[in-house]
Amino acid sequence: LKDAFNFYADPINPDSENAELYLENKAGLSINGINIKLTSLFFEEEQKINIDSRESKKIIIPIDKEKARTILAGPYIVNAKLTIQNKETELSAVMQFSEQQGIDTQETKEGWLLTRHEITKTNLGNIKTPVEIVLVKNPLAAAFTGFNIPSTNKDTANFKTFYIFEETLDPGETLKVVAKTNWWLLILIVIAII
């Protein structure tokens, strides 16, 4: 039974809506009522199909896109369990999850005496990707600024302080930096001095 079929899959990528798999009937006769159970990291599906002699039947399966966002690029196994008239066989194919890069950047600024500057970078691709966020502050602002995470590097040049945040993001991971500058402290210090 196993030798009667050829099983293979087209490549997919993070933007793919569906996976396209093919079951080829190498036998010289039509086979009806095949129950096929397909499993992989991207989907789990069970269908009933008929296949003519020498036909290559295309099977389209929706992909779990939320799960796909967290999976690294590379080859993945798709298993097919075929049941025909109480006889079972298992086939497998390699499905290539193609590399795709993509970093989404969101930035917001708000406030006046208590300012909040937020930058978020998200890896929308399916390969590990290094990202960098750089925030520049003058010496006065730097003295009254705090961050939600420590910077990986800090440099000073031309009377400016550069805060550098670096991280390698897995698929679906996010680097978020929030800088809060509290000018009220400066006002209170000035009032206290006066």
Side-chain angles (χ1 to χ4, degrees):
L1 184 61
K2 190 171 189 174
D3 295 335
F5 298 99
N6 188 23
F7 180 55
Y8 55 98
D10 281 347
I12 60 170
N13 63 57
D15 291 333
S16 299
E17 296 286 336
N18 302 301
E20 294 184 357
L21 312 169
Y22 299 86
L23 185 67
E24 181 185 359
N25 180 2
K26 298 189 289 182
L29 66 151
S30 297
I31 304 172
N32 295 326
I34 303 172
N35 190 73
I36 181 168
K37 185 176 182 180
L38 299 154
T39 55
S40 80
L41 264 180
F42 302 91
F43 52 78
E44 191 168 320
E45 178 88 2
E46 194 166 352
Q47 295 184 10
K48 204 155 204 158
I49 61 171
N50 301 320
I51 188 165
D52 291 332
S53 170
R54 313 292 178 194
E55 180 188 3
S56 184
K57 178 78 88 179
K58 182 194 275 190
I59 303 165
I60 298 173
I61 301 173
I63 291 171
D64 184 343
K65 295 198 75 170
E66 286 301 315
K67 194 169 185 181
R69 286 194 184 99
T70 64
I71 298 174
L72 288 169
Y76 290 89
I77 298 292
V78 181
N79 294 307
K81 184 178 180 181
L82 278 66
T83 306
I84 305 166
Q85 297 177 357
N86 298 322
K87 303 292 182 185
E88 290 185 355
T89 188
E90 292 190 10
L91 305 169
S92 62
V94 175
M95 185 170 66
Q96 186 66 37
F97 192 36
S98 304
E99 287 188 4
Q100 182 171 303
Q101 283 188 323
I103 297 294
D104 177 60
T105 302
Q106 302 285 332
E107 184 172 3
T108 59
K109 290 181 181 179
E110 57 189 21
W112 183 56
L113 289 174
L114 182 60
T115 64
R116 188 177 190 275
H117 186 184
E118 180 179 314
I119 300 176
T120 304
K121 287 184 181 271
T122 304
N123 185 358
L124 301 180
N126 62 353
I127 58 174
K128 288 178 180 282
T129 306
V131 295
E132 181 182 80
I133 294 174
V134 179
L135 289 172
V136 184
K137 298 287 180 183
N138 62 50
L140 187 60
F144 298 97
T145 299
F147 299 96
N148 63 323
I149 56 172
S151 60
T152 50
N153 202 356
K154 182 179 170 184
D155 196 13
T156 305
N158 299 326
F159 300 105
K160 290 181 180 177
T161 303
F162 296 83
Y163 296 93
I164 301 163
F165 302 82
E166 297 172 309
E167 194 173 325
T168 299
L169 300 179
D170 283 335
E173 281 191 339
T174 295
L175 173 62
K176 181 163 94 169
V177 176
V178 179
K180 291 181 180 177
T181 305
N182 190 348
W183 294 109
W184 284 108
L185 289 174
L186 178 61
I187 293 170
L188 291 173
I189 290 169
V190 170
I191 291 171
I193 291 170
I194 293 171

